[in-house]
Amino acid sequence: MLRAIVVAALFGLAVVGPVHASSAAPALDTSRPIAAQVQRIHADLADHKTYSELSQGDRAQIVNALSRISGRLGDDAVLSSLHPTAQVEVVNDQELVNTLLAKARADSRLVCRREQLTGSNRTQTVCMTVAERAAARERSMEAMRKTGLSQPENRP
């Protein structure tokens, strides 16, 4: 029985592992043609769904970095054909884009929990993104700070 459970767990890891690894792939890869990747990222930014957790400042940084990369590489150029200084600048812009998009992707992940809502004995499934949960936690902590209930000396 234990052997069957271990085999099932290993099989599950074998199936989930490649799926998780492919979702962590960088959004921008300068070793492949850049034009299609830039268009895809611009389309994802424009739909306001894929990277909805990005701030306007982060969006502007991504758009500026993509335009600098496109200007240096063009549509067909490869990274190795550039001057070493330009290569460093392109790689730095690529890292900026990939970092900001990976952070937004992680913040946009939907997490569902079974929670018992106030005033009810039934549990319900509550789904929120990671960023929404963090914002709700911050709002509740701020409310506790404002009311003064978070200090032990103010408690009845």
Side-chain angles (χ1 to χ4, degrees):
M1 179 67 166
L2 180 62
R3 182 176 285 171
I5 292 172
V6 170
V7 169
L10 288 175
F11 178 73
L13 287 175
V15 170
V16 173
V19 170
H20 180 63
S22 66
S23 66
L28 186 64
D29 184 8
T30 53
S31 65
R32 295 182 297 146
I34 201 78
Q37 296 178 65
V38 169
Q39 286 177 345
R40 181 180 44 81
I41 292 172
H42 279 298
D44 288 345
L45 288 173
D47 73 4
H48 295 289
K49 293 179 187 173
T50 307
Y51 297 114
S52 62
E53 306 300 335
L54 278 174
S55 68
Q56 290 301 325
D58 288 346
R59 284 179 187 275
Q61 282 185 336
I62 290 171
V63 169
N64 290 337
L66 289 175
S67 65
R68 286 191 303 266
I69 290 171
S70 295
R72 286 195 179 93
L73 281 179
D75 292 337
D76 302 332
V78 289
L79 189 62
S80 61
S81 66
L82 296 176
H83 186 271
T85 306
Q87 286 181 2
V88 169
E89 292 170 354
V90 167
V91 169
N92 287 340
D93 284 338
Q94 175 191 0
E95 282 298 314
L96 174 71
V97 168
N98 287 338
T99 301
L100 290 174
L101 293 180
K103 181 182 176 296
R105 193 178 310 124
D107 285 348
S108 296
R109 189 179 45 137
L110 191 63
V111 177
C112 296
R113 292 186 190 164
R114 298 281 296 166
E115 296 178 359
Q116 187 172 349
L117 299 179
T118 305
S120 174
N121 287 331
R122 290 186 330 148
T123 58
Q124 291 182 339
T125 302
V126 178
C127 296
M128 287 189 244
T129 64
V130 172
E132 288 172 340
R133 285 195 185 276
R137 183 174 45 251
E138 186 60 36
R139 282 192 308 269
S140 65
M141 290 175 71
E142 184 62 30
M144 291 293 287
R145 277 192 288 272
K146 283 183 180 177
T147 60
L149 293 177
S150 60
Q151 279 74 27
E153 64 272 2
N154 294 341
R155 290 190 180 149

